[in-house]
Coordinates of all heavy atoms in Angstrom, one line a residue:
M1 N -47.9 42.2 5.6 CA -47.2 41.1 6.3 C -45.8 41.5 6.6 O -45.0 41.9 5.7 CB -47.2 39.8 5.4 CG -46.5 38.7 6.0 SD -46.6 37.2 5.1 CE -45.6 37.5 3.7
K2 N -45.4 41.4 7.8 CA -44.0 41.8 8.2 C -43.2 40.5 8.4 O -43.6 39.6 9.1 CB -44.1 42.6 9.5 CG -42.7 43.0 10.0 CD -42.9 43.7 11.3 CE -41.5 44.1 11.9 NZ -41.6 44.7 13.2
L3 N -42.0 40.5 7.7 CA -41.2 39.3 7.8 C -40.4 39.4 9.1 O -39.8 40.5 9.4 CB -40.2 39.2 6.6 CG -40.8 38.8 5.3 CD1 -39.8 38.8 4.2 CD2 -41.5 37.5 5.4
T4 N -40.3 38.3 9.9 CA -39.5 38.3 11.1 C -38.1 37.8 10.7 O -38.0 37.1 9.8 CB -40.2 37.5 12.1 OG1 -40.2 36.1 11.7 CG2 -41.6 38.0 12.5
H5 N -37.2 38.1 11.6 CA -35.8 37.6 11.4 C -35.8 36.1 11.4 O -35.1 35.5 10.6 CB -34.9 38.2 12.5 CG -33.5 37.8 12.3 ND1 -33.0 36.5 12.7 CD2 -32.4 38.4 11.8 CE1 -31.7 36.4 12.4 NE2 -31.3 37.6 11.9
T6 N -36.6 35.5 12.2 CA -36.6 34.0 12.3 C -37.3 33.4 11.1 O -37.0 32.2 10.7 CB -37.2 33.5 13.6 OG1 -38.5 34.0 13.7 CG2 -36.4 33.9 14.8
G7 N -38.2 34.1 10.5 CA -38.9 33.5 9.4 C -38.3 33.6 8.0 O -38.5 32.8 7.1
I8 N -37.3 34.5 7.9 CA -36.7 34.7 6.6 C -35.9 33.5 6.1 O -36.0 33.1 4.9 CB -35.8 36.0 6.6 CG1 -36.7 37.2 6.7 CG2 -35.0 36.1 5.3 CD1 -36.0 38.5 6.9
P9 N -35.1 32.8 6.9 CA -34.4 31.6 6.4 C -35.3 30.5 6.0 O -35.1 29.9 4.9 CB -33.6 31.2 7.7 CG -33.4 32.4 8.5 CD -34.7 33.2 8.3
Y10 N -36.4 30.4 6.7 CA -37.4 29.3 6.2 C -38.0 29.7 4.9 O -38.2 28.9 4.0 CB -38.5 29.2 7.3 CG -38.0 28.7 8.6 CD1 -38.3 29.4 9.8 CD2 -37.1 27.7 8.8 CE1 -37.9 29.0 11.0 CE2 -36.6 27.3 10.0 CZ -37.0 28.0 11.1 OH -36.5 27.6 12.3
L11 N -38.4 31.0 4.8 CA -39.0 31.4 3.5 C -38.0 31.3 2.3 O -38.4 30.9 1.2 CB -39.4 32.9 3.6 CG -40.3 33.5 2.5 CD1 -41.6 32.7 2.4 CD2 -40.6 34.9 2.8
S12 N -36.7 31.5 2.6 CA -35.7 31.4 1.5 C -35.5 29.9 1.2 O -35.1 29.6 0.0 CB -34.4 32.1 1.9 OG -33.8 31.4 3.0
M13 N -35.8 29.0 2.0 CA -35.6 27.6 1.7 C -36.7 27.0 0.9 O -36.6 26.0 0.3 CB -35.5 26.8 3.0 CG -34.2 26.9 3.7 SD -34.0 25.7 5.1 CE -35.1 26.5 6.3
T14 N -37.8 27.8 0.7 CA -38.9 27.3 -0.1 C -38.6 27.3 -1.6 O -39.1 26.5 -2.3 CB -40.2 28.1 0.1 OG1 -40.0 29.5 -0.2 CG2 -40.7 28.1 1.6
I15 N -37.7 28.2 -2.0 CA -37.3 28.3 -3.4 C -36.6 27.0 -3.9 O -37.0 26.3 -4.8 CB -36.5 29.6 -3.7 CG1 -37.3 30.8 -3.3 CG2 -36.1 29.6 -5.2 CD1 -38.6 31.0 -4.0
P16 N -35.5 26.7 -3.2 CA -34.8 25.4 -3.6 C -35.7 24.2 -3.3 O -35.7 23.2 -4.0 CB -33.5 25.3 -2.9 CG -33.6 26.3 -1.8 CD -34.6 27.3 -2.2
G17 N -36.5 24.3 -2.3 CA -37.4 23.2 -1.9 C -38.5 22.9 -3.0 O -38.9 21.8 -3.2
L18 N -38.8 24.0 -3.7 CA -39.8 23.8 -4.8 C -39.1 23.2 -6.0 O -39.7 22.3 -6.6 CB -40.4 25.2 -5.1 CG -41.3 25.2 -6.3 CD1 -42.6 24.3 -6.1 CD2 -41.8 26.6 -6.6
F19 N -38.0 23.7 -6.4 CA -37.3 23.3 -7.6 C -36.4 22.1 -7.6 O -36.2 21.5 -8.6 CB -36.6 24.5 -8.2 CG -37.5 25.6 -8.6 CD1 -37.5 26.8 -7.9 CD2 -38.3 25.5 -9.7 CE1 -38.4 27.8 -8.3 CE2 -39.1 26.5 -10.1 CZ -39.2 27.7 -9.4
A20 N -36.0 21.7 -6.4 CA -35.1 20.6 -6.3 C -35.7 19.3 -6.8 O -35.1 18.5 -7.5 CB -34.5 20.4 -4.9
P21 N -36.9 19.0 -6.4 CA -37.5 17.7 -6.8 C -38.1 17.7 -8.3 O -38.3 16.6 -8.8 CB -38.6 17.4 -5.8 CG -38.9 18.7 -5.1 CD -37.8 19.6 -5.4
L22 N -38.2 18.8 -8.9 CA -38.8 18.9 -10.2 C -38.1 18.1 -11.3 O -38.8 17.4 -12.1 CB -39.1 20.3 -10.6 CG -40.1 21.1 -9.8 CD1 -40.3 22.5 -10.3 CD2 -41.5 20.3 -9.9
P23 N -36.8 18.1 -11.4 CA -36.1 17.3 -12.5 C -36.3 15.8 -12.3 O -36.5 15.1 -13.3 CB -34.6 17.7 -12.3 CG -34.6 19.0 -11.6 CD -35.8 19.0 -10.7
L24 N -36.3 15.4 -11.0 CA -36.5 14.0 -10.8 C -38.0 13.6 -11.1 O -38.2 12.5 -11.7 CB -36.2 13.6 -9.3 CG -34.8 13.9 -8.9 CD1 -34.6 13.7 -7.4 CD2 -33.9 12.9 -9.6
R25 N -38.9 14.4 -10.7 CA -40.3 14.2 -11.1 C -40.5 14.2 -12.6 O -41.2 13.3 -13.1 CB -41.2 15.2 -10.4 CG -42.7 14.9 -10.7 CD -43.5 15.9 -10.0 NE -43.3 15.6 -8.6 CZ -44.3 15.6 -7.7 NH1 -45.5 15.9 -8.0 NH2 -44.0 15.3 -6.4
G26 N -39.9 15.1 -13.3 CA -40.0 15.2 -14.7 C -39.4 13.9 -15.4 O -40.0 13.4 -16.3
A27 N -38.3 13.4 -14.9 CA -37.7 12.2 -15.4 C -38.6 11.0 -15.2 O -38.7 10.2 -16.1 CB -36.3 12.0 -14.8
Y28 N -39.2 10.9 -14.0 CA -40.1 9.8 -13.8 C -41.3 9.9 -14.7 O -41.7 8.9 -15.3 CB -40.6 9.9 -12.3 CG -41.7 8.9 -12.0 CD1 -41.5 7.6 -11.9 CD2 -43.0 9.4 -12.0 CE1 -42.5 6.7 -11.7 CE2 -44.1 8.5 -11.8 CZ -43.8 7.2 -11.6 OH -44.8 6.3 -11.4
L29 N -41.9 11.1 -14.8 CA -43.1 11.2 -15.7 C -42.8 10.9 -17.2 O -43.6 10.4 -17.9 CB -43.7 12.6 -15.5 CG -44.3 12.8 -14.2 CD1 -44.8 14.3 -14.1 CD2 -45.5 11.9 -13.9
A30 N -41.5 11.2 -17.6 CA -41.2 10.9 -19.0 C -41.0 9.5 -19.3 O -41.2 9.0 -20.4 CB -39.9 11.7 -19.3
L31 N -40.7 8.7 -18.2 CA -40.4 7.3 -18.4 C -41.6 6.4 -18.1 O -41.6 5.2 -18.5 CB -39.2 6.8 -17.6 CG -37.9 7.4 -17.9 CD1 -36.8 7.0 -16.9 CD2 -37.5 7.1 -19.3
Q32 N -42.5 6.8 -17.3 CA -43.6 6.0 -16.8 C -45.0 6.5 -17.3 O -45.1 7.6 -17.7 CB -43.7 6.1 -15.3 CG -42.4 5.6 -14.6 CD -42.2 4.2 -14.7 OE1 -43.1 3.4 -14.8 NE2 -40.9 3.8 -14.8
Q33 N -45.9 5.6 -17.3 CA -47.3 6.0 -17.6 C -47.8 6.6 -16.3 O -47.6 6.2 -15.2 CB -48.1 4.8 -17.9 CG -47.8 4.1 -19.2 CD -48.7 2.9 -19.4 OE1 -49.3 2.4 -18.5 NE2 -48.8 2.4 -20.6
V34 N -48.5 7.8 -16.5 CA -48.9 8.5 -15.3 C -50.2 7.8 -14.8 O -51.1 7.5 -15.5 CB -49.3 10.0 -15.7 CG1 -49.8 10.7 -14.6 CG2 -48.1 10.6 -16.3
G35 N -50.1 7.6 -13.5 CA -51.3 7.0 -12.8 C -50.9 6.7 -11.4 O -49.7 6.5 -11.0
V36 N -51.9 6.7 -10.5 CA -51.7 6.4 -9.1 C -51.1 5.0 -8.9 O -50.2 4.8 -8.1 CB -53.0 6.6 -8.3 CG1 -52.8 6.3 -6.8 CG2 -53.5 8.1 -8.4
G37 N -51.6 4.0 -9.6 CA -51.2 2.7 -9.4 C -49.7 2.5 -9.7 O -48.9 1.9 -9.0
N38 N -49.3 3.1 -10.8 CA -47.9 3.0 -11.2 C -47.0 3.8 -10.3 O -45.9 3.4 -10.0 CB -47.7 3.6 -12.7 CG -48.2 2.7 -13.7 OD1 -48.4 1.5 -13.5 ND2 -48.6 3.2 -14.9
F39 N -47.5 4.9 -9.8 CA -46.7 5.7 -8.8 C -46.5 4.9 -7.5 O -45.4 4.9 -7.0 CB -47.4 7.0 -8.6 CG -46.6 7.9 -7.6 CD1 -45.5 8.6 -8.1 CD2 -47.0 8.1 -6.3 CE1 -44.7 9.4 -7.2 CE2 -46.3 8.9 -5.5 CZ -45.1 9.5 -5.9
L40 N -47.6 4.3 -7.0 CA -47.5 3.5 -5.8 C -46.5 2.3 -5.9 O -45.8 2.0 -5.1 CB -48.8 3.1 -5.3 CG -49.7 4.2 -4.8 CD1 -51.1 3.7 -4.4 CD2 -49.1 4.9 -3.6
Q41 N -46.6 1.7 -7.1 CA -45.7 0.6 -7.4 C -44.2 1.1 -7.4 O -43.3 0.4 -6.9 CB -46.0 -0.1 -8.7 CG -47.0 -1.1 -8.7 CD -47.2 -1.8 -10.0 OE1 -47.1 -1.1 -11.1 NE2 -47.4 -3.1 -10.1
S42 N -44.0 2.2 -7.9 CA -42.6 2.8 -8.0 C -42.1 3.1 -6.7 O -40.9 2.9 -6.4 CB -42.6 4.0 -9.0 OG -43.0 3.6 -10.3
I43 N -42.9 3.8 -5.8 CA -42.3 4.2 -4.5 C -42.1 3.0 -3.6 O -41.3 3.1 -2.7 CB -43.2 5.3 -3.8 CG1 -44.6 4.8 -3.5 CG2 -43.2 6.5 -4.7 CD1 -45.4 5.8 -2.7
Y44 N -42.8 1.9 -3.9 CA -42.5 0.7 -3.1 C -41.8 -0.4 -3.9 O -41.9 -1.6 -3.6 CB -43.8 0.2 -2.5 CG -44.4 1.1 -1.4 CD1 -45.5 1.9 -1.7 CD2 -43.8 1.3 -0.2 CE1 -46.0 2.7 -0.8 CE2 -44.3 2.1 0.7 CZ -45.4 2.9 0.5 OH -45.9 3.7 1.4
A45 N -41.0 0.1 -4.8 CA -40.3 -0.9 -5.7 C -39.2 -1.7 -4.9 O -38.9 -2.8 -5.3 CB -39.6 -0.1 -6.8
N46 N -38.6 -1.1 -3.9 CA -37.6 -1.8 -3.1 C -37.7 -1.3 -1.6 O -38.5 -0.3 -1.4 CB -36.2 -1.7 -3.6 CG -35.8 -0.2 -3.8 OD1 -35.9 0.5 -2.8 ND2 -35.3 0.1 -4.9
A47 N -37.0 -1.9 -0.8 CA -37.1 -1.5 0.7 C -36.6 -0.1 0.9 O -37.2 0.6 1.8 CB -36.3 -2.5 1.5
A48 N -35.6 0.3 0.2 CA -35.1 1.7 0.5 C -36.1 2.7 0.1 O -36.4 3.7 0.8 CB -33.8 1.9 -0.3
A49 N -36.7 2.6 -1.1 CA -37.7 3.5 -1.6 C -38.9 3.5 -0.7 O -39.5 4.5 -0.4 CB -38.1 3.2 -3.0
G50 N -39.3 2.3 -0.3 CA -40.5 2.2 0.6 C -40.2 2.9 2.0 O -41.1 3.5 2.5
A51 N -39.0 2.8 2.5 CA -38.7 3.4 3.8 C -38.7 4.9 3.6 O -39.3 5.6 4.5 CB -37.3 3.0 4.2
V52 N -38.2 5.4 2.5 CA -38.3 6.9 2.3 C -39.8 7.3 2.2 O -40.2 8.4 2.8 CB -37.5 7.3 1.1 CG1 -37.7 8.7 0.7 CG2 -36.0 7.0 1.3
A53 N -40.6 6.6 1.4 CA -42.0 7.0 1.2 C -42.7 6.9 2.6 O -43.5 7.8 2.8 CB -42.6 6.0 0.2
A54 N -42.5 5.9 3.4 CA -43.1 5.8 4.7 C -42.7 7.0 5.6 O -43.6 7.6 6.3 CB -42.8 4.5 5.3
G55 N -41.5 7.3 5.5 CA -41.0 8.5 6.3 C -41.7 9.8 5.9 O -42.0 10.6 6.7
L56 N -41.8 10.0 4.6 CA -42.5 11.2 4.1 C -43.9 11.2 4.5 O -44.4 12.3 4.9 CB -42.4 11.3 2.6 CG -41.0 11.7 2.1 CD1 -41.0 11.6 0.5 CD2 -40.6 13.1 2.5
M57 N -44.6 10.1 4.5 CA -46.0 10.1 4.9 C -46.2 10.4 6.4 O -47.1 11.2 6.7 CB -46.6 8.7 4.6 CG -46.8 8.5 3.1 SD -47.6 6.9 2.9 CE -46.8 6.4 1.3
V58 N -45.3 9.9 7.2 CA -45.4 10.2 8.6 C -45.1 11.6 8.9 O -45.7 12.3 9.7 CB -44.4 9.2 9.4 CG1 -44.3 9.7 10.9 CG2 -44.9 7.8 9.4
S59 N -44.1 12.2 8.2 CA -43.7 13.6 8.3 C -44.8 14.5 7.9 O -45.1 15.5 8.6 CB -42.5 13.9 7.5 OG -41.4 13.1 7.9
A60 N -45.5 14.1 6.8 CA -46.6 15.0 6.4 C -47.7 15.0 7.4 O -48.4 16.0 7.6 CB -47.1 14.5 5.0
L61 N -48.0 13.8 8.0 CA -49.1 13.8 8.9 C -48.7 14.4 10.3 O -49.6 14.9 11.0 CB -49.6 12.3 9.1 CG -50.2 11.7 7.9 CD1 -50.5 10.2 8.1 CD2 -51.4 12.4 7.4
A62 N -47.4 14.5 10.6 CA -47.0 15.1 11.8 C -47.3 16.6 11.8 O -47.4 17.2 12.9 CB -45.5 14.9 12.0
F63 N -47.4 17.2 10.7 CA -47.8 18.6 10.6 C -49.1 19.0 11.3 O -49.3 20.1 11.8 CB -47.8 19.2 9.2 CG -46.4 19.2 8.6 CD1 -46.3 18.7 7.3 CD2 -45.3 19.7 9.2 CE1 -45.0 18.8 6.7 CE2 -44.1 19.8 8.6 CZ -43.9 19.3 7.4
I64 N -50.0 18.0 11.2 CA -51.4 18.3 11.8 C -51.6 17.6 13.1 O -52.7 17.6 13.6 CB -52.5 17.9 10.8 CG1 -52.3 16.4 10.4 CG2 -52.5 18.8 9.6 CD1 -53.4 15.9 9.5
D65 N -50.5 17.1 13.8 CA -50.6 16.4 15.1 C -51.1 17.4 16.1 O -52.1 17.1 16.8 CB -49.2 15.9 15.5 CG -49.2 15.3 16.8 OD1 -50.1 14.5 17.1 OD2 -48.3 15.6 17.6
R66 N -50.5 18.5 16.3 CA -50.9 19.4 17.4 C -50.8 20.8 16.8 O -49.8 21.5 16.8 CB -50.1 19.3 18.6 CG -50.5 20.1 19.7 CD -49.7 19.9 21.0 NE -49.7 21.1 21.7 CZ -48.7 22.1 21.7 NH1 -47.7 22.0 20.9 NH2 -48.8 23.2 22.4
P67 N -51.9 21.3 16.2 CA -51.8 22.6 15.5 C -51.5 23.7 16.5 O -52.0 23.8 17.6 CB -53.2 22.8 14.9 CG -54.0 21.8 15.4 CD -53.2 20.7 16.0
S68 N -50.6 24.6 16.1 CA -50.2 25.7 17.0 C -51.4 26.7 16.9 O -52.1 26.8 15.9 CB -48.9 26.4 16.5 OG -47.9 25.5 16.5
R69 N -51.5 27.5 18.0 CA -52.5 28.6 18.0 C -52.2 29.6 16.9 O -51.1 30.1 16.8 CB -52.5 29.2 19.3 CG -53.8 30.1 19.5 CD -53.7 30.7 20.9 NE -53.4 32.1 20.6 CZ -52.6 32.8 21.4 NH1 -52.1 32.3 22.5 NH2 -52.4 34.1 21.1
G70 N -53.2 29.9 16.1 CA -53.0 30.9 15.0 C -52.5 30.3 13.7 O -52.4 31.0 12.8
M71 N -52.2 29.0 13.7 CA -51.7 28.5 12.4 C -52.9 28.3 11.5 O -54.0 28.0 11.9 CB -51.1 27.1 12.6 CG -49.8 27.1 13.3 SD -48.4 27.7 12.3 CE -48.1 26.3 11.3
W72 N -52.8 28.6 10.2 CA -53.8 28.6 9.3 C -53.5 27.6 8.2 O -52.4 27.2 8.0 CB -54.0 30.0 8.7 CG -52.8 30.6 8.2 CD1 -51.9 31.3 9.0 CD2 -52.2 30.6 6.9 NE1 -50.8 31.7 8.2 CE2 -51.0 31.3 6.9 CE3 -52.6 30.0 5.7 CZ2 -50.2 31.4 5.8 CZ3 -51.8 30.1 4.6 CH2 -50.6 30.8 4.6
L73 N -54.6 27.2 7.5 CA -54.4 26.2 6.4 C -53.7 25.0 6.8 O -52.7 24.6 6.1 CB -53.8 26.9 5.2 CG -54.5 28.1 4.6 CD1 -53.6 28.7 3.5 CD2 -55.8 27.8 4.1
L74 N -54.1 24.3 7.8 CA -53.4 23.1 8.3 C -53.3 22.0 7.2 O -52.4 21.1 7.3 CB -54.0 22.6 9.6 CG -53.9 23.5 10.8 CD1 -54.6 22.9 12.0 CD2 -52.4 23.7 11.1
W75 N -54.2 22.0 6.3 CA -54.2 21.0 5.2 C -53.1 21.3 4.2 O -52.7 20.4 3.5 CB -55.5 20.9 4.5 CG -56.0 22.2 4.0 CD1 -56.8 23.2 4.7 CD2 -55.6 22.9 2.8 NE1 -56.9 24.3 3.9 CE2 -56.2 24.1 2.7 CE3 -54.9 22.5 1.7 CZ2 -56.1 25.0 1.7 CZ3 -54.7 23.3 0.6 CH2 -55.3 24.6 0.6
L76 N -52.6 22.5 4.2 CA -51.6 22.9 3.1 C -50.3 22.2 3.3 O -49.7 21.7 2.3 CB -51.4 24.4 3.2 CG -50.4 25.0 2.2 CD1 -50.8 24.8 0.8 CD2 -50.1 26.4 2.5
Y77 N -49.8 22.0 4.5 CA -48.5 21.4 4.8 C -48.4 20.0 4.3 O -47.5 19.6 3.7 CB -48.1 21.7 6.2 CG -48.4 23.0 6.7 CD1 -49.3 23.2 7.7 CD2 -47.9 24.2 6.1 CE1 -49.6 24.5 8.1 CE2 -48.2 25.5 6.5 CZ -49.1 25.6 7.5 OH -49.4 26.9 7.9
P78 N -49.4 19.1 4.7 CA -49.3 17.7 4.2 C -49.5 17.7 2.7 O -48.9 16.9 2.1 CB -50.5 17.0 5.0 CG -50.8 17.9 6.1 CD -50.4 19.3 5.8
L79 N -50.3 18.5 2.2 CA -50.5 18.5 0.7 C -49.2 18.9 0.0 O -48.9 18.2 -1.0 CB -51.6 19.5 0.3 CG -51.9 19.6 -1.2 CD1 -52.6 18.4 -1.7 CD2 -52.8 20.8 -1.4
L80 N -48.5 19.9 0.4 CA -47.3 20.2 -0.2 C -46.3 19.1 0.0 O -45.5 18.8 -1.0 CB -46.7 21.5 0.4 CG -47.4 22.8 0.1 CD1 -46.8 24.0 0.9 CD2 -47.3 23.1 -1.4
T81 N -46.3 18.5 1.1 CA -45.3 17.4 1.3 C -45.6 16.2 0.5 O -44.7 15.6 -0.2 CB -45.3 17.0 2.8 OG1 -44.9 18.1 3.6 CG2 -44.3 15.9 3.1
F82 N -46.9 15.8 0.4 CA -47.3 14.6 -0.5 C -47.0 14.9 -2.0 O -46.6 14.1 -2.7 CB -48.7 14.2 -0.2 CG -48.9 13.4 1.0 CD1 -50.0 13.8 1.9 CD2 -48.1 12.4 1.3 CE1 -50.2 13.0 3.0 CE2 -48.3 11.6 2.5 CZ -49.4 12.0 3.3
D83 N -47.3 16.2 -2.4 CA -47.3 16.5 -3.8 C -45.9 16.9 -4.2 O -45.4 16.3 -5.2 CB -48.2 17.7 -4.1 CG -48.3 17.9 -5.6 OD1 -48.4 16.9 -6.3 OD2 -48.4 19.1 -6.0
L84 N -45.2 17.8 -3.5 CA -43.9 18.2 -4.0 C -42.7 17.8 -3.1 O -41.6 17.9 -3.5 CB -43.9 19.8 -4.1 CG -44.8 20.3 -5.1 CD1 -45.0 21.8 -5.0 CD2 -44.3 20.0 -6.5
G85 N -43.0 17.3 -1.9 CA -42.0 16.7 -1.1 C -41.7 17.5 0.2 O -42.2 18.7 0.3
L86 N -41.0 16.9 1.1 CA -40.7 17.5 2.4 C -39.8 18.7 2.2 O -39.9 19.6 3.0 CB -40.1 16.4 3.3 CG -39.9 16.8 4.7 CD1 -41.2 17.0 5.4 CD2 -39.1 15.7 5.4
S87 N -39.1 18.8 1.1 CA -38.2 19.9 0.9 C -39.0 21.2 0.7 O -38.4 22.3 0.9 CB -37.4 19.6 -0.4 OG -38.2 19.5 -1.5
L88 N -40.3 21.2 0.4 CA -41.1 22.3 0.3 C -42.1 22.4 1.5 O -42.2 23.5 2.1 CB -41.9 22.4 -1.0 CG -42.8 23.6 -1.2 CD1 -42.0 24.9 -1.2 CD2 -43.6 23.5 -2.4
G89 N -42.7 21.3 1.9 CA -43.7 21.3 2.9 C -43.1 21.8 4.3 O -43.7 22.6 5.0
L90 N -41.9 21.3 4.6 CA -41.3 21.7 5.9 C -40.9 23.1 6.0 O -41.3 23.8 7.0 CB -40.1 20.8 6.2 CG -39.4 21.0 7.5 CD1 -40.4 20.8 8.7 CD2 -38.2 20.1 7.7
P91 N -40.2 23.7 5.0 CA -39.9 25.2 5.1 C -41.2 26.1 5.2 O -41.2 27.0 5.9 CB -39.1 25.5 3.9 CG -38.5 24.2 3.4 CD -39.5 23.2 3.8
V92 N -42.2 25.7 4.4 CA -43.4 26.5 4.5 C -44.1 26.4 5.9 O -44.5 27.4 6.5 CB -44.4 26.1 3.4 CG1 -45.8 26.7 3.6 CG2 -43.9 26.4 2.0
Y93 N -44.1 25.2 6.4 CA -44.6 25.0 7.8 C -43.8 25.8 8.8 O -44.4 26.5 9.7 CB -44.6 23.5 8.2 CG -45.0 23.2 9.6 CD1 -46.3 23.3 10.0 CD2 -44.0 23.0 10.5 CE1 -46.6 23.0 11.3 CE2 -44.3 22.7 11.8 CZ -45.6 22.8 12.2 OH -45.9 22.5 13.5
L94 N -42.5 25.7 8.7 CA -41.6 26.4 9.7 C -41.8 27.9 9.6 O -41.8 28.6 10.6 CB -40.2 26.0 9.5 CG -39.9 24.5 9.9 CD1 -38.5 24.2 9.6 CD2 -40.2 24.3 11.4
Y95 N -41.9 28.4 8.4 CA -42.1 29.8 8.2 C -43.4 30.3 8.8 O -43.5 31.3 9.5 CB -42.1 30.2 6.7 CG -42.6 31.6 6.4 CD1 -41.8 32.7 6.8 CD2 -43.8 31.8 5.9 CE1 -42.2 34.0 6.6 CE2 -44.3 33.1 5.7 CZ -43.5 34.2 6.1 OH -43.9 35.5 5.9
C96 N -44.5 29.6 8.5 CA -45.8 30.0 9.1 C -45.8 29.9 10.6 O -46.4 30.7 11.3 CB -46.9 29.1 8.5 SG -47.2 29.4 6.7
R97 N -45.1 28.9 11.1 CA -45.0 28.7 12.6 C -44.2 29.9 13.2 O -44.6 30.5 14.2 CB -44.4 27.4 13.0 CG -44.5 27.1 14.5 CD -43.9 25.9 14.9 NE -42.4 26.1 14.7 CZ -41.5 25.2 15.0 NH1 -41.8 24.0 15.4 NH2 -40.2 25.4 14.8
A98 N -43.1 30.3 12.6 CA -42.3 31.4 13.1 C -43.1 32.7 13.0 O -43.0 33.5 13.9 CB -41.0 31.5 12.3
R99 N -43.9 32.8 11.9 CA -44.7 34.0 11.8 C -45.8 34.1 12.8 O -46.0 35.2 13.4 CB -45.3 34.0 10.4 CG -45.9 35.3 10.0 CD -46.4 35.3 8.6 NE -47.7 35.9 8.6 CZ -48.7 35.5 7.8 NH1 -48.6 34.5 7.0 NH2 -49.9 36.1 7.9
T100 N -46.4 33.0 13.1 CA -47.4 32.9 14.2 C -46.8 33.2 15.5 O -47.4 33.9 16.3 CB -48.1 31.5 14.2 OG1 -48.7 31.3 12.9 CG2 -49.2 31.4 15.2
Q101 N -45.7 32.6 15.8 CA -45.0 32.8 17.1 C -44.6 34.3 17.3 O -44.6 34.8 18.4 CB -43.9 31.9 17.3 CG -44.3 30.5 17.5 CD -43.2 29.5 17.6 OE1 -42.0 29.8 17.2 NE2 -43.5 28.2 18.0
A102 N -44.2 34.9 16.2 CA -43.8 36.3 16.3 C -44.9 37.3 16.7 O -44.8 38.3 17.3 CB -43.2 36.8 15.0
H103 N -46.2 36.8 16.3 CA -47.3 37.7 16.6 C -47.9 37.4 18.0 O -48.7 38.2 18.5 CB -48.5 37.4 15.6 CG -48.1 37.9 14.2 ND1 -48.8 37.5 13.1 CD2 -47.2 38.8 13.8 CE1 -48.3 38.1 12.1 NE2 -47.3 38.9 12.5
D104 N -47.4 36.4 18.7 CA -47.9 36.1 20.1 C -47.2 37.0 21.1 O -46.2 37.5 21.0 CB -47.7 34.6 20.4 CG -48.7 33.7 19.7 OD1 -49.7 34.2 19.1 OD2 -48.4 32.5 19.6

């Protein structure tokens, strides 16, 4: 796999994108009972949290709106966004898109 000049910045953003949300997730899990119901209650606890959650869901689904030619694992980007956040899902998507465009 050859890294392209345009793909390197996106690839480098995946490292902080992976580790930035982990302390917050750890703090949440330490204070709450783990479960889907409790998690959904927490993300819609107030209007601000609900707006952020809705934005993330739309962003995650936008990755599969119009798949680029040659893009692979289209389910990976929404999964990363829902699980670890847009801070990881978006750089991985942009890196894969840049890599695909470099091969065209």
Side-chain angles (χ1 to χ4, degrees):
M1 175 176 76
K2 180 180 177 184
L3 291 178
T4 63
H5 183 281
T6 57
I8 292 172
Y10 301 129
L11 189 61
S12 66
M13 286 189 285
T14 62
I15 303 301
L18 174 63
F19 292 109
L22 290 181
L24 297 171
R25 180 174 297 221
Y28 169 78
L29 292 175
L31 296 174
Q32 302 290 326
Q33 292 179 343
V34 179
V36 174
N38 288 336
F39 183 73
L40 290 176
Q41 273 185 323
S42 295
I43 62 173
Y44 292 108
N46 58 50
V52 170
L56 285 174
M57 287 182 216
V58 170
S59 298
L61 295 175
F63 291 134
I64 56 175
D65 175 46
R66 187 178 150 264
S68 301
R69 194 180 103 217
M71 291 286 286
W72 49 275
L73 300 176
L74 292 176
W75 54 268
L76 178 66
Y77 318 117
L79 180 69
L80 289 173
T81 301
F82 283 132
D83 188 39
L84 295 168
L86 191 60
S87 61
L88 180 63
L90 182 60
V92 170
Y93 172 79
L94 292 173
Y95 168 72
C96 292
R97 189 182 70 177
R99 190 175 137 214
T100 300
Q101 289 174 347
H103 290 164
D104 287 345

